[in-house]
Amino acid sequence: MHPARSAQSRAIRPFDVTNRTVFAIAVPMTLAYLSTPLLGLVDTAVIGQLGDAALLGGIALGGILFDLVFASFNFLRSGTTGLTAQAVGAGDGKEERAVLFRAGLLALALGLCVVALQVPILSAGLWLMGGSEAVKAATASYFTVRTLSAPVALLNYAYLGWFIGRGQSMTALLLQTGLNGLNIALSVWFVLYLDWGVAGVAGATVLSELATAGVGTLLAMRALSGRAWPSRARIFNMARFRRMIALNRDILIRSFALIFAFAFFASRSAVQGDTILAANAILEKFFLISGYFLDGLATAAEQLAGKAVGARYRPAFDKAVRLSVLWGFALALVAALIFMAGGQALIDFMTTAEDVRAVAATYLPWAAATPLLGVLAFQMDGVFIGATWSRDMRNMMLASLALFLAAYWVLFPLLGNHGLWLAFSLFIAARGLTLLAISRKRAAETFPETG
């Protein structure tokens, strides 16, 4: 490398982080994330109009199976965000563009693998989840059609991560809400007007993903307009490809550990009987709902922390962490108060079973506390993804999971379902606290000139 260019690449690039900077990213992304559960509600509602329980069961199981498969590839979004933000912070336009090509190629390759393996994936899913023959037939119909969207759906993950990494949150909002809005409209049309049933819901998703990928490609081309495209040698730089794969591998392991924790919580609820299982399932939704609100601030932390690492500017990094965590706790407190005040009404809305309502009310304080217990985990996940400290994020997740399992075996025999909730609370709190504890050391290593 030319000495002058080398010196330039090592230069510190100061920039400021303010409340406005944080919310310029957090607000659009919160709106984008909130459109996702609405899609699931509409899909269920339109199939529900057909009056066939087997069809409802089919899209429920098919959706779970597809979500499990695609949750495995969520690293394409988050990993691309961190790498892009660091390139932006470093002022390395060529690398910023090369990240998009690498992520896009990886997304298409993985998507084609999903299509090729759809038969064994579906068979394994049906074997694990069970269901009547009618439900299995509906699940197979849904999954077979929807799987066709895998390559473009994963490409959309890459586009979303790239635009977020560049700080273009409004573009990310356009893509996400456009995807879900079109999906909703097509689902209503295909099912209620064309009478295509479960295949109509899946087909709506395929066409929506395809349309969104087209729009994403046009927007990316516009962003690349007038700039030199990265060379083939740069795109296929093996060291950088290995870094992306290692980053994605660590995020994948972390995601699997998180899925396992929720599955374990569900299974330990089930052994206590149907009533507690139903009550815990309803209360668990409180934590998931709060996540949709907190994810916007976590995304802001991703972009700003990654940009600060690329810019090698510690003050911006520290301020991004401080402001995102501060506002995260403020929002989590609001969510916790709302859950405590209106939690019983929400429980009553979600079930008419009086025994489930009564049991859920008993454990409501645990669910109401989860936003405050989990907010640090959301925010620190964002920081570590942006900084690409993925190995630490993976390791702290595994350590927190081990704590959850150990706490359960001690607390459940003593406290029953309260013990399960306490163990789960320790798990979500430990994730944030362990990442916070190690973040100072990693920041000192990443910013040696200020460490």
Side-chain angles (χ1 to χ4, degrees), residues 218-302:
L218 291 175
L219 292 172
M221 294 290 289
R222 181 180 178 183
L224 296 172
S225 179
R227 300 183 180 185
W229 285 30
S231 66
R232 185 178 301 177
R234 187 179 188 98
I235 293 172
F236 291 97
N237 181 295
M238 292 312 297
R240 294 182 185 273
F241 243 123
R242 282 194 295 270
R243 184 190 181 203
M244 174 176 279
I245 291 171
L247 171 64
N248 292 338
R249 177 201 64 211
D250 293 336
I251 297 174
L252 174 62
I253 295 172
R254 169 256 185 198
S255 297
F256 277 151
L258 186 59
I259 292 170
F260 177 83
F262 280 100
F264 182 81
F265 181 88
S267 70
R268 296 304 90 191
S269 300
V271 300
Q272 301 178 73
D274 291 348
T275 301
I276 286 184
L277 172 61
N280 281 357
I282 289 172
L283 294 175
E284 189 182 38
K285 296 295 189 292
F286 286 42
F287 179 57
L288 298 178
I289 290 170
S290 67
Y292 286 115
F293 288 96
L294 296 173
D295 269 344
L297 282 165
T299 301
E302 285 181 39

Side-chain angles (χ1 to χ4, degrees), residues 354-442:
E354 291 300 330
D355 56 341
V356 176
R357 286 177 172 180
V359 171
T362 301
Y363 301 103
L364 175 60
W366 288 110
T370 55
L372 286 169
L373 293 169
V375 61
L376 193 58
F378 281 105
Q379 298 311 120
M380 296 311 296
D381 268 357
V383 170
F384 275 64
I385 287 171
T388 60
W389 299 335
S390 60
R391 184 172 59 181
D392 293 314
M393 187 170 65
R394 176 201 68 195
N395 291 344
M396 295 306 102
M397 171 63 82
L398 293 175
S400 299
L401 178 60
L403 174 64
F404 176 28
L405 299 177
Y408 167 80
W409 294 118
V410 173
L411 296 171
F412 182 73
L414 299 174
L415 303 173
N417 198 46
H418 283 292
L420 174 60
W421 272 103
L422 177 54
F424 183 71
S425 299
L426 290 173
F427 164 67
I428 59 178
R431 284 181 55 210
L433 291 171
T434 53
L435 290 175
L436 179 64
I438 203 171
S439 64
R440 288 187 174 275
K441 178 181 178 182
R442 291 293 171 259

Side-chain angles (χ1 to χ4, degrees), residues 67 111 125 170 180 185-186 201 252 328 341 344 392 402:
D67 288 345
M170 292 303 296
N180 292 330
L186 290 177
V201 172
L252 174 62
Q344 187 61 59
D392 293 314

Side-chain angles (χ1 to χ4, degrees), residues 88 92-94 96-97 101 162 166 168 220-230:
V88 169
D92 190 346
K94 290 182 179 179
E96 174 192 332
R97 296 187 286 278
F101 282 88
W162 191 67
R166 300 181 84 230
Q168 294 179 256
M221 294 290 289
R222 181 180 178 183
L224 296 172
S225 179
R227 300 183 180 185
W229 285 30

Side-chain angles (χ1 to χ4, degrees), residues 103-125:
L105 290 170
L106 186 58
L108 291 173
L110 291 172
L112 290 172
C113 288
V114 172
V115 174
L117 296 173
Q118 62 175 294
V119 173
I121 292 173
L122 176 61
S123 298

